[in-house]
Amino acid sequence: MSEPDFNDFEESTNDDKYKVSEKKTVDEYKKLDAEDESLAKWKESLGLSSDVLPLEFPGDTRKVVIQKIQLLVDTEKEPITFDLTNETTIKELASKRYKVKEKSIYKLRITFKVQHEIITGLRYVQYIKKAGIAVDKIDDHLGSYAPNTKQKPFYEVELPESEAPSGFLARGNYSAVSKFIDDDKTTHLTLNWGVEIVKK
């Protein structure tokens, strides 16, 4: 099965002329105005004064590491978990379809780690198609995050609840492309996956 083409979705553009300031590394932030007490408190609130965790693996250049996504469905006792810690699992997701009953209430829980530098304006963008036709787009702001520390080894965010569509025409296979994008338009992960809406 070929991967879905999502080119007919238009990426949202920012027309407010806002320019993202130059990024700084964690070490640069730590050294910034070391004598300034109020700035020191601000950096501490970001976790910059704590012990930052080592990289996911030596030489890892990723800034946002998505560890897992869980699909929480009110009709299921256990969440459907996408383990994103290896490339094989990510590739297999594109060909799998997870069954979700029509009219179910569901939401996504995302677990991730930040490393190297502060990430600002992280967003979860999802494009959805059925039978090759674009049916929905989700664009949720996740926030800004400092690199993880021993006190905060990972971040966990839950997206708003949604209701699965219902009816004869709504049932069937849906393909999704999920992207994690920050405010300087860096895409940290692109994920192809899908669900099958089945009769309740």
Side-chain angles (χ1 to χ4, degrees):
M1 187 176 80
S2 61
E3 290 186 1
D5 180 9
F6 290 86
N7 290 331
D8 48 346
F9 281 105
E10 291 184 8
E11 287 283 355
S12 57
T13 55
N14 207 349
D15 300 324
D16 60 6
K17 310 264 192 269
Y18 172 73
K19 301 275 186 203
V20 179
S21 59
E22 186 179 348
K23 299 268 186 178
K24 287 182 169 55
T25 65
V26 174
D27 286 337
E28 286 172 334
Y29 272 116
K30 284 181 177 178
K31 293 172 186 173
L32 188 65
D33 295 328
E35 306 292 321
D36 187 328
E37 187 177 339
S38 61
L39 188 56
K41 288 181 179 177
W42 172 75
K43 290 190 289 185
E44 186 175 354
S45 73
L46 293 175
L48 296 178
S49 62
S50 305
D51 291 332
V52 173
L53 287 177
L55 301 179
E56 194 75 0
F57 58 81
D60 188 1
T61 58
R62 294 175 299 170
K63 293 169 184 164
V64 178
V65 181
I66 311 299
Q67 297 171 316
K68 66 180 175 181
I69 296 177
Q70 291 177 295
L71 179 60
L72 289 81
V73 186
D74 67 345
T75 55
E76 303 295 327
K77 291 181 179 179
E78 297 294 328
I80 298 167
T81 300
F82 307 157
D83 178 5
L84 305 178
T85 56
N86 64 73
E87 287 295 323
T88 303
T89 304
I90 293 172
K91 288 177 183 175
E92 287 175 351
L93 279 176
S95 59
K96 290 184 177 179
R97 290 295 176 268
Y98 296 90
K99 294 187 188 310
V100 175
K101 292 178 181 176
E102 60 183 349
K103 294 187 76 67
S104 297
I105 304 300
Y106 67 92
K107 61 182 174 181
L108 291 179
R109 178 189 294 149
I110 302 161
T111 304
F112 61 98
K113 176 182 173 182
V114 173
Q115 51 190 21
H116 294 295
E117 65 183 42
I118 293 172
I119 295 297
T120 56
L122 188 63
R123 292 159 47 218
Y124 175 81
V125 181
Q126 179 176 285
Y127 310 94
I128 304 167
K129 276 191 172 186
K130 183 177 190 292
I133 299 170
V135 295
D136 198 9
K137 178 184 175 183
I138 296 168
D139 191 339
D140 283 318
H141 288 262
L142 306 183
S144 299
Y145 300 90
N148 288 96
T149 64
K150 290 178 181 176
Q151 288 74 30
K152 188 74 175 174
F154 60 86
Y155 295 110
E156 193 173 84
V157 177
E158 288 189 1
L159 301 186
E161 290 184 340
S162 297
E163 182 178 298
S166 61
F168 175 74
L169 294 176
R171 293 179 208 130
N173 291 323
Y174 290 77
S175 299
V177 171
S178 299
K179 295 185 177 185
F180 294 85
I181 308 169
D182 65 23
D183 63 4
D184 58 5
K185 296 182 173 56
T186 299
T187 299
H188 297 281
L189 177 68
T190 299
L191 191 66
N192 293 278
W193 60 289
V195 297
E196 181 185 357
I197 302 299
V198 297
K199 192 170 182 178
K200 196 167 182 178

